[in-house]
Amino acid sequence: MTKDIEIKMARDDNGEQFYTRAHVDGLDGFEEYYADTLELRNSLSDFQANHIQDSGWMDYEVGTGYKNILYSSDGFKCGVRQIQYLYGNPVTGIKNVTQKMIRLNIRNFLNGNQIAQIPTGFTQYTQVFYSRSGSGKQPIMVEVRPSGAVNVYIDSKDQTGSEFSNWIYAQFEWTE
C-alpha cells in the first residue's frame, strides 16, 4: 500500500510562493515512517547478530627475532581474523561461507623460514600470497599451511641480501 504525498505551495499576501518550515513531529504519517524504519533497522540488526560471526582481529606472535615493528606508531600488528556468514534454513540445512584474513608485519627473516605459527586449521587449504618487500626486490612468497605454519620464500636473486632488508607489511584475504 503506497501513500501519496500531496505538496502544496504556500503563498504570501502578495501571491508569492514560499516554503514553510515544520517540525517533523507536526507532519502526518511520519509516525508510521519512523516505525517502519525502526522495524527494518531491528530486523537488520537481528539478521547480523544471527547470521554473521566475526572473530575480530586476534594477534599472533611471530618467531623469535622477527620484529613486529614496521609502522609501529600507526600500523597494524600480526593478526588473523575470520568472518563467517551463515545462510540457508533449518529445513534445507544451514550453510556458511567464511572470509579469512591474515596480517603480516615482520622483518629479519631468511628464505624458507617459518616466521609464525597461527592456530592449526585456521585455513582449510594451503594459501599462497606474494608481497612486496623493499625497494628493487622481487615479491616474497608467503605460505599459510593448514598446520598453522606461516613460511616465507625469497626469490633466488634476493637471497644474498641481509636479513634486515627482508620485510613484509601486508594483509591477505581469502574465502573458504
Side-chain angles (χ1 to χ4, degrees):
M1 175 174 141
T2 4
K3 291 187 177 185
D4 293 330
I5 298 176
E6 184 179 348
I7 299 175
K8 293 185 178 182
M9 295 297 296
R11 296 187 185 270
D12 64 14
D13 293 340
N14 297 327
E16 299 286 323
Q17 291 183 340
F18 68 93
Y19 292 96
T20 59
R21 289 193 285 170
H23 190 273
V24 73
D25 290 337
L27 300 175
D28 288 336
F30 264 72
E31 298 84 8
E32 289 178 37
Y33 170 78
Y34 281 134
D36 291 345
T37 302
L38 185 58
E39 183 180 327
L40 177 62
R41 186 178 302 146
N42 289 340
S43 295
L44 290 173
S45 295
D46 182 57
F47 178 82
Q48 183 174 0
N50 292 316
H51 294 86
I52 301 173
Q53 300 168 356
D54 185 351
S55 70
W57 284 103
M58 299 177 295
D59 291 347
Y60 65 85
E61 293 298 318
V62 296
T64 305
Y66 307 120
K67 310 272 187 216
N68 195 1
I69 58 169
L70 290 170
Y71 306 102
S72 60
S73 64
D74 62 352
F76 53 72
K77 294 182 178 180
C78 291
V80 292
R81 180 181 189 178
Q82 81 176 18
I83 304 172
Q84 188 174 47
Y85 304 92
L86 304 171
Y87 63 96
N89 63 56
V91 176
T92 60
I94 303 294
K95 299 173 185 166
N96 70 71
V97 172
T98 305
Q99 180 182 10
K100 304 219 175 166
M101 295 162 252
I102 186 168
R103 286 178 171 170
L104 296 150
N105 182 354
I106 58 169
R107 164 172 255 144
N108 294 350
F109 54 85
L110 294 173
N111 181 55
N113 283 159
Q114 178 179 342
I115 52 102
Q117 178 69 38
I118 61 173
T120 300
F122 180 76
T123 182
Q124 189 174 3
Y125 306 102
T126 298
Q127 301 294 326
V128 177
F129 309 97
Y130 287 89
S131 173
R132 178 183 175 278
S133 180
S135 298
K137 290 188 163 218
Q138 296 296 316
I140 293 177
M141 185 175 88
V142 178
E143 175 187 66
V144 181
R145 310 278 306 192
S147 66
V150 180
N151 305 308
V152 290
Y153 300 97
I154 301 170
D155 189 271
S156 59
K157 295 176 192 171
D158 297 325
Q159 289 180 14
T160 58
S162 74
E163 293 177 21
F164 188 76
S165 67
N166 296 330
W167 58 267
I168 297 174
Y169 180 82
Q171 177 176 319
F172 304 104
E173 300 183 18
W174 66 96
T175 303
E176 293 184 350

